[in-house]
Amino acid sequence: MSVVYTVGYEGTDIDRFVATLKAVGIKTLADVRAVALSRKKGFSKTALRQRLEAEGINYLHFVALGDPKPGREAARNGRMAEFQRIYRKHLATSEAAQALLELESVVWTSPSCLLCFERDPSVCHRSIVTEKLSDSGVNVFDLFGDNPLAYVSHTEKLPSYHPRQSAAAA
């Protein structure tokens, strides 16, 4: 059993966000936004990649796992059942299914965290992505990027990352 973390950058800044990732030992950030642009300083794709790489964290963008525009609009307007229906249908496309397999491989080979905007994972499509990942035996732990000291102070309570072992190693 291993773990995948999730985090949203709503309500935080780039320094606290990066400190949170480092506090829990993240080595790969998997951006699951359809559009990796942000009005928040430091969270657009190029700036985020550069900052993370300077901190020793790999950045990967899984565009195909982003929420399509109609899903984003439904969520923004509080139509959560419609948002979930749209996103689940999107995940069934061959492009998204392939990206999910690639993400699963990353999660099993590196301490990883999924990124999107929403602070609350229950209103974000990343919770649906992690639901699919949990089918492969991955535990999910949601982080909040605005208080890295909470994780530094309680590292013993965090789930541990365990890479997938081959049948020969088990």
Side-chain angles (χ1 to χ4, degrees):
M1 218 26 127
S2 193
V3 63
V4 63
Y5 294 90
T6 82
V7 68
Y9 63 91
E10 180 180 26
T12 192
D13 58 65
I14 192 66
D15 293 330
R16 290 184 296 160
F17 177 82
V18 170
T20 299
L21 298 179
K22 292 180 78 170
V24 298
I26 299 302
K27 298 295 181 196
T28 301
L29 184 84
D31 189 338
V32 294
R33 296 176 291 173
V35 181
L37 295 174
S38 178
R39 286 179 257 170
K40 282 193 89 138
K41 184 176 168 70
F43 290 99
S44 288
K45 183 176 184 170
T46 301
L48 182 59
R49 174 188 285 128
Q50 290 171 348
R51 174 64 187 270
L52 292 173
E53 288 178 355
E55 300 284 347
I57 300 171
N58 188 30
Y59 172 90
L60 300 173
H61 187 198
F62 289 87
V63 179
L65 293 178
D67 190 14
K69 187 173 183 177
R72 294 192 308 270
E73 289 172 353
R76 196 169 319 150
N77 291 308
R79 299 187 316 267
M80 299 311 287
E82 181 182 351
F83 146 71
Q84 290 182 358
R85 180 184 54 74
I86 290 168
Y87 190 70
R88 288 179 192 285
K89 183 177 178 182
H90 171 72
L91 270 187
T93 66
S94 60
E95 184 180 16
Q98 180 61 41
L100 191 60
L101 287 173
E102 292 169 17
L103 176 60
E104 183 181 334
S105 175
V106 169
V107 165
W108 279 104
T109 58
S110 174
S112 303
C113 185
L114 306 188
L115 163 76
C116 199
F117 171 73
E118 292 81 4
R119 184 179 194 279
D120 180 357
S122 70
V123 297
C124 180
H125 74 287
R126 71 181 185 268
S127 65
I128 300 170
V129 173
T130 58
E131 177 185 296
K132 297 289 187 185
L133 290 173
S134 67
D135 291 344
S136 70
V138 175
N139 287 322
V140 178
F141 191 89
D142 298 309
L143 300 172
F144 297 94
D146 54 351
N147 187 7
L149 294 179
Y151 304 108
V152 172
S153 302
H154 299 96
T155 54
E156 73 281 353
K157 294 181 181 177
L158 293 172
S160 298
Y161 167 78
H162 300 287
R164 180 175 274 167
Q165 294 182 349
S166 68

